[in-house]
């Protein structure tokens, strides 16, 4: 979990709690039935919307994208330069030994296709189909959180409407209007917090991580195609360097 | 109907009802004219918007997508591996017997085109036209529910405006303000519930099922094209495996 | 005008009126200046937005799409099967006589291009340019109603703001607050009704009819290209059948 | 300035003013500080958003698109038919004399490229690059007004919040609440008027004019390419006619 | 920093402050806990959403896009005309000396690829990959500000809800309602200001600058491809001129 997320969570929730404490106590902001409507209702609507498998799968995606480290662009470039030189010197089959050390399944699979003698266009088709699917699986996580971010405020409003109707029907004692309305507003408050401080930022983070991963995979496709195309190592390096900013190229070129 | 939908419906509606009961009785939330405006008005607007045939068709789509089972990816891969081996050993016409056992109309039709001697590009054109149309027919169901999800809150607000105007015009007795306003808010409450707990989640589910089905069909197109292309079984398998995640490939490869 | 539209209009408006009558009389919902602001203001903004020619043209499009009948897919398939057989037996020029009976201008024009000896790619270019333009002209109708559906609630709010400002400035007599506010809310009510029960559903219907017509035209392009390509009638039929659902093919195939 | 715009402005603003007068005087709707916040704030935000050059440029675009007349489609078709016949009879260089009379810079430039011996693909590339840029420059005008239409209501709300805070802080004399709140609402009123009756309709008109112009330019590209392709005049005419509706072709064909 | 930005900031903030001062003092608009919730909460949510590296990177992008000057289109055209003439007279290698004076890294790199003997398609692939990435990096800045513009009003509403709940729970003394509600509204006020006068206009400016830069880079790609294609200088100039408006061409052509 990167430090920005930690600092972000602390600052966002911390400040809200501080502001609440400065204005009185936190107990007036805790209401179990209100929490039940907002959280339970949203989870319910989400479970109607998405297959259970996808909802549980999202936990894995979140864990994986927040904690795991992508293969670095430097390593990708170095790997492919190595492959390119090796296969020019010792022939394609010599790559068999090389890819055993590669952890990334996608890179391994791509180069294996090359070794197995698939043609350039076939390799491109197979790998691009796979990247499309990886991308859409990762998008799903972001999409589920975005959907929840639309259900949370909606359920918040539904809860507030329930509270208002109950309050308005029993308007006999004016002194109860204030507290009853305060309670009614709590569901809107919960919905707003959950949507804007929890769901939307997580959805955003997942989307960014997914983009980074797809970019990495596209570098690998380019590398495999360059290999298969028989590009010389200099051209191969140029083609891969195009994927990273000028400012970071210095540290990568040899 | 998958279990997530059942649990989702129970938790979403259940929690809302529990919250209502905890705050008093449910009878103050039932109002027939309010229900008539919101449900009737939305159905009316939907019937202006969509041809009757489409609206009734949606019931079929909903039933089909919620209950029926798609052909599994394993079966698709096995079928095409079988076709590929058979046609290489015994010739294309031997597939005539094979496809009799296939239930999926689309798969059957595609392979039949191949047997009938259509060229690769023709097969691709015909099947892709069909997938596009299947996709757009399935989208229609999701679209109708999404449209209803915009009409429901709108009609809810219209109902509330009617209630408010009537209340404000007869403001003589202050003691009636509360209950009259409570009733006015009920249409907004109904509209919100129908849009967010019923229509939007169902639209989402239909969209997901449609995506799954299109993906399945695209695997079949790839398989048919590979057959028609004369790919050997190993290449055909690689091309189809690209459609499923690495993590699930183990259980499929032979 | 299809029956869904009639039922829709009756149910949507009917229920709103019933609800109004149940809560009192309709006279408190009628206010000429409010109607002037909302309807006049929206028409004014629409006239700034769109050329007069387009606004009047929309009436034609609405009339045409709501009342006229598209050529049926069965007829299209039969026509092209007939053309294909005729031109194979008696030569291309024999089609001259055939197309005289065709009412659809687009179909006629396409086959005429084929008879006139245009090449396949030229026919495709000319017809696709035309379909694009038909599509965009039909979209315009839907777009104008969608635009009006954004102006109506905006003008409704402007009217309510005018009413509120006038009421608040003359707050001397508290007993007038209620009725004055009721009147102020009427513009929002009108805007909401016009946008959600009139404009949006009509825009939706126009969009659907336009899609159907474009699909029909694309079938005709495919047919003309197949003719021009010299496809045999069986292949031509397969290519056209791909445009209609499996479930409806039975009734079409011969 | 076409008549629809004039009628639109009069009806939209006229009706709002009439409604205001019927409810009292216009003086309670005039408030200089409120106007300053809404108009000044929006102009300020727009100036941060867009380079000064673009903002001033918009005035030209507005003037040009509202007042100037596009070259008519009839003229385009006639011009290209003339070019086609001339160049077939007297050779390409004879067109040099012809294009001197052409006012439209784009048409002139395209045919000049053909005369200068550029190849078909080069002509297409150069002209399409130019149309893209013309389109995006014209879009900019629409975009600036659309952006202003989002800033106006936002500044309106900011102004109302300022008024509300000031009113609530000085709540000692209840008799001042009404007028103070009326003043606070004026900024929202101004923002709403400016966004919905001024900016959005103008943005819409600019977008439509831009589309018309791009369509005209695409006809010219098609004509130039047809010329360069050596199409005979009949084919050239067919290709250009595809850009205009059947109903208007009668008056164009010779 | 261009003058429009300065004028915009002054006019937008200045007018808001003037309006505040005219209605009383500014001290009632300053509230530290409110500021903490809105600014701190938004920064927190943004830090969950984006990697720290991207958030700090945005400061560079903002600084660079607001202050640095793009290479002018005139210079690009002149450079490439020079390159074209030089390479035709003295051979490709003569360009080595020429590009030493070029400051723009992208232009330099492109021409270097040409000198190094890369093929036309390779040059196009490498440079277009790079432009795509430059574009998406620059978009990120605009995207972060747009995201903040959605968090700011959300946190503003959360703050207002906190204030309202606290006020409603302690409704004993009616005289405190006004000031308490004024304070509650301040967070909404802050959120609105930050979103509409700060974040959205900056996001818009970044987006425009990014478009300009991408256009410039696309001119350079066209130039490099023209060079590599061996176009004569006249054709090269035509192709580059297509990127700039007719009205500005006079000052560029020689």
């Amino acid at each position: 979990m990167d430090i920005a997320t930690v600092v972000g969570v602390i600052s966002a929730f911390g400040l809200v709690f501080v502001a609440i404490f400065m204005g009185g106590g936190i107990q007036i902001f805790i209401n179990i039935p209100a929490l039940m409507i907002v959280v339970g209702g949203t989870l319910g609507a989400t479970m109607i919307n998405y297959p259970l498998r996808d909802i549980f799968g999202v936990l894995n995606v979140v864990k994986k994208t927040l904690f795991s480290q992508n293969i670095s662009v430097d390593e990708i470039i170095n790997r492919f330069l190595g492959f390119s030189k090796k296969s020019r010197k010792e022939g394609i089959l010599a790559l068999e030994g090389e890819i055993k050390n590669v952890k990334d399944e996608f890179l391994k699979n791509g180069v294996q296709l090359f070794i197995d003698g698939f043609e350039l266009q076939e390799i491109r088709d197979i790998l691009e189909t796979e990247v499309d699917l990886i991308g859409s699986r990762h998008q799903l996580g972001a999409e589920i959180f975005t959907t929840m971010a639309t259900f949370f405020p909606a359920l918040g409003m539904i809860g507030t409407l329930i509270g208002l109707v109950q309050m308005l029907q029993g308007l006999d004692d004016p002194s109860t209007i204030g507290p009853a309305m305060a309670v009614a507003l709590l569901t809107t408050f919960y919905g707003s917090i959950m949507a804007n401080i929890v769901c939307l930022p997580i959805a955003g983070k997942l989307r960014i991580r997914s983009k980074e991963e797809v970019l990495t995979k596209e570098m690998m496709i380019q590398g495999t195609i360059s290999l298969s195309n028989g590009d010389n190592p200099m051209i191969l390096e140029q083609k891969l360097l195009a994927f990273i900013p000028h400012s970071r190229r210095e540290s990568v070129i040899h």
Side-chain angles (χ1 to χ4, degrees), chain A:
Chain A
M1 199 178 214
D2 56 3
I3 194 152
T5 311
V6 179
V7 176
V9 169
I10 290 175
S11 101
F13 277 97
L15 284 168
V16 169
F17 283 126
V18 166
I20 285 177
F21 276 113
M22 283 174 71
I26 198 160
Q27 71 285 354
I28 60 172
F29 286 90
I30 294 174
N31 184 289
I32 302 300
L35 213 58
M36 267 167 52
I37 291 183
V38 175
V39 176
T42 298
L43 289 182
T46 309
M47 276 193 281
I48 303 175
N49 199 329
Y50 294 98
L52 263 195
R53 170 168 42 89
D54 289 346
I55 295 176
F56 286 123
V58 129
L59 298 176
N60 276 323
V61 171
V62 170
K63 213 175 58 189
K64 205 174 141 201
T65 51
L66 291 187
F67 293 95
S68 79
Q69 207 57 45
N70 271 330
I71 185 171
S72 76
V73 292
D74 300 37
E75 191 186 337
I76 297 174
I77 294 182
N78 286 332
R79 287 273 184 211
F80 276 103
L81 278 178
F83 293 161
S84 173
K85 287 168 188 161
K86 188 103 182 179
S87 76
R88 291 183 146 236
K89 271 195 219 140
E90 309 176 25
I92 293 174
L93 292 181
L95 295 181
E96 285 274 14
E98 290 283 303
I99 63 170
K100 275 185 194 142
N101 312 321
V102 179
K103 272 193 201 153
D104 191 277
E105 279 294 322
F106 185 84
L107 201 165
K108 207 183 220 163
N109 192 31
V111 178
Q112 186 67 54
L113 290 174
F114 167 56
I115 298 171
D116 289 352
F118 282 74
E119 283 172 31
L120 194 148
Q121 192 54 43
E122 287 169 347
I123 294 177
R124 188 198 291 271
D125 285 354
I126 291 174
L127 294 184
E128 282 182 353
T129 304
E130 206 173 319
V131 168
D132 283 357
L133 293 175
I134 289 175
S136 69
R137 277 195 296 273
H138 286 202
Q139 285 298 354
L140 186 63
E143 196 199 308
I144 290 181
F145 278 100
T146 309
T147 303
M148 287 174 72
T150 69
F151 286 145
F152 267 122
L155 267 296
M157 199 185 98
I158 288 173
T160 296
L161 285 169
I162 293 176
L164 284 180
V165 169
Q166 289 172 340
M167 179 198 85
L168 289 165
Q169 286 289 6
L171 214 59
D172 305 330
D173 180 3
S175 75
T176 64
I177 295 180
M181 198 151 169
V183 171
L185 284 178
L186 281 181
T187 53
T188 296
F189 173 68
Y190 294 155
S192 230
I193 290 267
M194 292 305 291
N196 291 293
I197 307 193
V198 178
C199 293
L200 284 179
I202 291 183
K205 179 71 125 259
L206 292 180
R207 216 168 278 125
I208 280 173
R209 288 287 159 102
S210 165
K211 260 192 217 163
E212 285 173 0
E213 198 175 333
V214 165
L215 190 68
T216 307
K217 298 267 185 287
E218 274 167 6
M219 273 185 82
M220 295 180 194
I221 294 183
Q222 177 65 73
T224 314
I225 284 171
S226 250
L227 262 189
S228 165
N229 206 19
D231 289 344
N232 74 49
M234 191 186 87
I235 291 185
L236 184 145
E237 186 171 18
Q238 275 299 332
K239 286 187 178 170
L240 294 185
L241 282 175
F243 283 88
I244 48 180
H246 275 286
S247 56
R248 286 173 55 203
R249 286 191 195 173
E250 296 298 309
S251 60
V252 179
I253 305 180
H254 311 272

